[in-house]
Amino acid sequence: MKNIFLLLSFFSVVQSIYCQELAKAPAPCYPVPTQKQMDWQEMEFYAFVHFSLNTFTNKEWGYGDESPELFNPTALDARQWARIAKESGMKGIILVAKHHDGFCLWPSAYTERSVKNSPWKNGKGDVVKELAEACREYNLKLGLYLSPWDRNNPDYGNPKYITYFRNQLTELLTNYGDVFEMWFDGANGGDGYYGGADETRKINTLEYYNWDETYKLIYRLAPKTLVWGVGPSEARWIGNEEGRANTTNWSLLRQKDELAGKVHYTEFMSGHEDGEKWVPGEADVSIRPGWFYHAVEDDKVRSLDELVDIYYESVGRNATLLLNLPVDRRGLVNENDEERLKELVAVIKTDFNKELLAGSKVSADNVRGNDNKFGPKNTIDNDKNTYWAADDNVKEASIEFEFEKPTAINRILIQEYIKLGQRVKAFNVEVKTNGKWETIANETTIGYKRILRTKRVLADALKINITAAKASVVISNIQAYNAPTFVRIPTIQRDKKGEVTIKAEEGNSIYYTVDGSVPSEKSILYKGAFAYNKAFTLKAIARNTKENISSAVKTAKYGVSKEKWKIIAVSSGDLKTADRIIDGNPDTDWSFGGDANKLPQQLSIDMGAVRKITGFTYVPQQVGNNLNLISNYEFYTSTDNVKWIKQSQGEFSNIKNNPIEQVKTFSKVTARYLRFVALAAVGKGQVVSIGEINVIEE
Ligand code: FUL
């Protein structure tokens, strides 16, 4: 008997040692984030503010020769910016302290090109300081953008400029309290004023700045600052200026390759599964087409639909969202932008109003060491420090949630415990309805946070199957929601002849007005394309008649249709197909130029009648992987196709990163003929494409 007891206690000792062994936390799957990167990732959503001389010169990129005296906001209030950011659930604000034209929003001791030589506050103001104080008051973190490229500085391109750049960096990192993120933009070198030299200066970004030394300086001065962008950074650009990450999004990057110039920026949208460094993605986008404020964009604030998509495709795809609010000439976030932001926040709030998994019965097919410490319940305990983990080397595992009664679901949120690394390569979601399992999503990575928008299902149970991973499964949090139906805004198109087509999601009706009034279900019911070639404002809504809910209002403003327009001359390319430039459809493009026909190239348009115009727009090629973009242009008008007057010339700034419709205005002129000259292209390719040319009428 005594022996049996001895044997039993021996076994229990062995078992406890064994279990303790198993109950150890999983080994990290390297690379893993630093605490600084963890804190940053958890911020999720923060604001960008572009506000500088460009705001007053109506440019996206200043050339570097604009006078500081033009900077004169009438009612600058950084507290208003902070209030709006705070009310939107944002956790910080990144201010562009110096953009490419070199103008400084703080009174730098190293240059005269700053607020100190502007009329604002008689040269005694400091925007960086005001924002730092406002952020403190609203408990927001402050971030700063210092453009490496400086189109004003005479020394740009020489070693002397690097000293200047580092001096400015030192000012920003030592005089304004903690800076959570330092933003180094990738636009580098090119033409500029450069102290009057007026020339093109090419630099090698990878070598010129000696980033290793610059980064050492930053970490010495401000170890809490996370560095974004060029150099050996701790966070990366998402590869577009539309605020969208790829569905597959690794927080890892082969940064060594990147620093050797071997990574194309389009790879940033997904990161690298085999990246040797933790370099998570940050998705940046402006709430309007441009980064700086332009009055012509007052009615071009991104639609609610677009912003909601952006949220789901950034924060919901393992990136942070940096949303730009272009402060206007008063020095305030414009009312239109604030209103749209409020609508966005309201949608996010209602979408995630009621969590549905917390009360469910949860089980998993594998639990590390059979230890409750790593049990599946940890995914619904609302504690970010606990997680469900599988045994070592178990890279396929399932977790199931059973509901007491059938539950409607259309959002699923999953988080890996990324302190131990990003692991999941593939997963799917199944739901059980009426006793039958159905797969409703087949996905790839998860990372810090992944949110799926699925069709609405009435589920008895929900199962998440991790089907491939880099190391054993470690999941921190899983949630489900039933977001209200969101009726998507309709799309409107008018072709050359004036035929209007409106489209909405299948099953929805469309109502519209042509007199500028707000449409409702009492307005005209859209039954199919209709002709309307006069100037008018069309407003339309889509309506889900089953649930009695409408979309936001889509507004489209049109001048007289292009029915009488003709392309009358092209310097190269096929004249027969050139009509695509004026067919009302920006997605059909036409190109000219090429090796045998080097730039400049030009084309002329006859509008068929004399019109009063105040500007033109160039819509670059929209469709395709390789956009043949024009970077510099000239625009002429004529009344007789003989005598031409130049109305505008210049650059399409930032078109490479943000290929949106380019708007150029001039004083009112009477014209019948238009001539558009493509002077230079982005990159080496000489072929340039045009999606559409429009005119702006009074
Ligand atoms: C770009 C810049 O060139 C733009 O002007 C803007 O600042 C944007 C956020 O980054 O690359």
Side-chain angles (χ1 to χ4, degrees):
M1 198 61 186
K2 209 175 146 204
N3 282 349
I4 289 175
F5 273 122
L6 264 176
L7 207 64
L8 278 178
S9 61
F10 172 69
F11 269 122
S12 79
V13 169
V14 168
Q15 194 191 17
S16 76
I17 293 171
Y18 185 59
C19 286
Q20 253 174 19
E21 272 302 305
L22 280 180
K24 263 196 200 156
C29 169
Y30 291 105
V32 296
T34 59
Q35 189 55 45
K36 193 206 289 183
Q37 287 170 315
M38 277 306 301
D39 295 343
W40 173 88
Q41 190 86 53
E42 285 172 359
M43 289 175 70
E44 293 191 4
F45 184 28
Y46 39 94
F48 217 172
V49 169
H50 276 68
F51 174 60
S52 189
L53 271 183
N54 289 343
T55 313
F56 299 88
T57 55
N58 210 12
K59 290 184 192 170
E60 277 290 292
W61 283 2
Y63 189 68
D65 59 348
E66 305 80 6
S67 165
E69 284 175 22
L70 296 168
F71 184 82
N72 195 13
T74 47
L76 191 146
D77 182 7
R79 295 179 67 247
Q80 186 244 17
W81 317 350
R83 173 185 62 73
I84 291 169
K86 189 75 189 182
E87 286 171 1
S88 310
M90 293 170 161
K91 298 292 186 316
I93 302 180
I94 300 181
L95 173 69
V96 176
K98 181 183 92 166
H99 202 249
H100 310 329
D101 62 77
F103 179 76
C104 301
L105 289 189
W106 79 104
S108 170
Y110 302 97
T111 180
E112 292 304 305
R113 190 169 173 73
S114 81
V115 279
K116 74 183 172 205
N117 284 312
S118 79
W120 177 61
K121 295 198 163 171
N122 291 320
K124 300 275 179 300
D126 182 342
V127 186
V128 179
K129 183 160 171 252
E130 292 196 13
L131 182 61
E133 280 165 6
C135 282
R136 236 165 272 138
E137 183 183 334
Y138 282 89
N139 194 19
L140 293 165
K141 293 184 182 178
L142 173 75
L144 294 169
Y145 170 131
L146 183 73
S147 171
W149 185 24
D150 188 321
R151 292 175 111 182
N152 169 266
N153 197 293
D155 297 323
Y156 185 79
N158 307 319
K160 242 174 119 182
Y161 173 76
I162 303 304
T163 309
Y164 173 80
F165 181 65
R166 290 189 186 150
N167 283 339
Q168 292 201 320
L169 206 48
T170 306
E171 286 182 316
L172 291 176
L173 291 174
T174 50
N175 293 336
Y176 300 99
D178 289 344
V179 173
F180 84 93
E181 179 170 335
M182 196 68 226
W183 222 85
F184 292 139
D185 186 65
N188 270 295
D191 61 344
Y193 177 67
Y194 304 124
D198 256 327
E199 60 188 13
T200 298
R201 293 189 180 173
K202 293 237 162 70
I203 54 107
N204 179 338
T205 324
L206 303 171
E207 286 165 14
Y208 176 53
Y209 297 98
N210 191 348
W211 286 116
D212 284 342
E213 284 308 308
T214 305
Y215 274 58
K216 269 189 215 150
L217 171 77
I218 297 171
Y219 295 142
R220 190 157 45 75
L221 298 171
K224 285 190 205 155
T225 300
L226 175 138
V227 192
W228 178 99
V230 286
S233 65
E234 300 163 275
R236 68 174 201 268
W237 183 37
I238 209 68
N240 62 68
E241 294 189 354
E242 289 165 20
R244 298 172 198 247
N246 218 338
T247 48
T248 299
N249 184 15
W250 292 97
S251 289
L252 320 176
L253 195 69
R254 291 193 299 269
Q255 196 174 62
K256 281 189 193 136
D257 282 355
E258 188 216 345
L259 293 172
K262 289 189 204 150
V263 172
H264 192 260
Y265 70 84
T266 46
E267 295 169 49
F268 291 167
M269 269 185 92
S270 308
H272 295 136
E273 182 185 326
D274 58 352
E276 78 282 354
K277 187 170 162 186
W278 189 271
V279 191
E282 176 190 80
D284 60 325
V285 64
S286 184
I287 198 162
R288 295 172 175 229
W291 290 100
F292 285 92
Y293 175 83
H294 311 289
V296 287
E297 293 181 357
D298 276 351
D299 60 0
K300 293 207 173 70
V301 180
R302 280 180 205 271
S303 68
L304 178 60
D305 288 52
E306 219 184 323
L307 289 173
V308 169
D309 285 349
I310 284 171
Y311 181 81
Y312 278 106
E313 293 178 21
S314 55
V315 175
R317 289 184 180 171
N318 189 34
T320 58
L321 173 56
L322 172 59
L323 179 63
N324 181 61
L325 306 171
V327 161
D328 66 20
R329 286 187 182 177
R330 295 169 302 175
L332 299 173
V333 174
N334 189 266
E335 292 77 354
N336 298 4
D337 307 46
E338 183 180 4
E339 203 189 314
R340 190 53 44 81
L341 199 51
K342 276 191 183 148
E343 291 169 11
L344 169 67
V345 173
V347 170
I348 299 172
K349 267 203 187 133
T350 48
D351 280 8
F352 300 99
N353 184 30
K354 193 163 172 270
E355 205 287 308
L356 301 164
L357 296 186
S360 67
K361 199 174 135 227
V362 54
S363 58
D365 65 355
N366 184 296
V367 173
R368 192 174 178 75
N370 279 325
D371 187 339
N372 260 340
K373 198 164 110 196
F374 300 114
K377 254 198 152 21
N378 289 339
T379 60
I380 52 172
D381 67 354
N382 208 13
D383 180 347
K384 64 178 184 182
N385 297 313
T386 64
Y387 49 85
W388 161 54
D391 283 322
D392 281 346
N393 295 320
V394 173
K395 299 171 188 173
E396 286 175 50
S398 297
I399 185 166
E400 188 177 327
F401 304 87
E402 282 172 80
F403 299 110
E404 245 170 47
K405 53 175 196 292
T407 303
I409 284 176
N410 63 3
R411 297 284 184 278
I412 295 153
L413 182 156
I414 314 177
Q415 296 186 276
E416 286 187 71
Y417 185 76
I418 56 164
K419 278 188 177 171
L420 292 175
Q422 184 178 353
R423 297 158 179 247
V424 175
K425 294 204 269 190
F427 72 101
N428 64 52
V429 181
E430 288 179 90
V431 285
K432 190 156 108 184
T433 38
N434 298 326
K436 263 203 199 140
W437 285 101
E438 181 199 356
T439 304
I440 56 163
N442 244 314
E443 298 291 336
T444 53
T445 56
I446 297 175
Y448 164 71
K449 188 177 270 188
R450 186 71 202 276
I451 312 173
L452 305 180
R453 289 186 282 184
T454 67
K455 64 175 182 182
R456 183 174 291 129
V457 288
L458 199 59
D460 301 322
L462 172 80
K463 202 194 302 186
I464 292 166
N465 306 303
I466 310 295
T467 54
K470 287 178 74 174
S472 63
V473 174
V474 181
I475 302 288
S476 156
N477 183 31
I478 304 179
Q479 300 177 341
Y481 297 88
N482 181 28
T485 302
F486 185 83
V487 185
R488 298 190 77 90
I489 205 166
T491 57
I492 302 178
Q493 199 148 55
R494 185 173 76 163
D495 71 9
K496 192 173 181 246
K497 289 195 193 118
E499 189 162 281
V500 179
T501 312
I502 316 179
K503 285 187 188 149
E505 272 176 304
E506 228 186 273
N508 290 343
S509 321
I510 298 167
Y511 295 89
Y512 68 93
T513 63
V514 291
D515 60 1
S517 62
V518 179
S520 71
E521 69 273 26
K522 296 198 178 86
S523 309
I524 313 166
L525 176 67
Y526 176 77
K527 292 194 180 127
F530 60 92
Y532 212 108
N533 49 17
K534 283 183 279 183
F536 79 128
T537 298
L538 176 64
K539 292 194 175 187
I541 51 165
R543 197 163 160 80
N544 178 323
T545 37
K546 264 193 237 136
E547 295 189 47
N548 273 334
I549 18 180
S550 300
S551 71
V553 177
K554 171 78 187 179
T555 304
K557 278 190 192 159
Y558 293 106
V560 179
S561 80
K562 291 175 175 167
E563 201 173 4
K564 295 201 188 106
W565 285 36
K566 258 198 205 105
I567 308 283
I568 48 171
V570 293
S571 57
S572 66
D574 181 8
L575 178 63
K576 279 191 247 113
T577 54
D579 233 29
R580 286 185 218 146
I581 297 172
I582 51 171
D583 64 355
N585 182 0
D587 290 343
T588 54
D589 54 83
W590 178 87
S591 50
F592 63 171
D595 284 343
N597 300 293
K598 292 220 168 358
L599 298 184
Q601 294 290 322
Q602 63 179 48
L603 61 91
S604 307
I605 300 171
D606 176 5
M607 296 192 286
V610 167
R611 310 265 276 265
K612 289 199 171 86
I613 62 171
T614 57
F616 81 99
T617 79
Y618 153 59
V619 184
Q621 178 184 354
Q622 299 293 301
V623 182
N625 290 332
N626 245 335
L627 307 182
N628 300 313
L629 303 165
I630 299 168
S631 61
N632 294 74
Y633 73 97
E634 280 171 354
F635 190 81
Y636 297 80
T637 60
S638 166
T639 49
D640 56 6
N641 196 13
V642 177
K643 220 175 93 206
W644 290 91
I645 305 165
K646 194 197 281 180
Q647 302 296 352
S648 174
Q649 72 172 67
E651 71 179 1
F652 297 126
S653 317
N654 201 28
I655 195 166
K656 181 172 172 223
N657 291 334
N658 199 14
I660 54 170
E661 180 173 23
Q662 307 289 310
V663 182
K664 298 290 173 185
T665 52
F666 39 78
S667 321
K668 186 167 66 188
V669 289
T670 304
R672 172 169 167 171
Y673 301 92
L674 315 171
R675 177 175 291 162
F676 178 63
V677 185
L679 281 183
V682 167
K684 286 184 205 107
Q686 291 286 312
V687 174
V688 291
S689 301
I690 302 169
E692 196 77 13
I693 298 277
N694 299 304
V695 288
I696 304 169
E697 297 183 69
E698 279 192 283

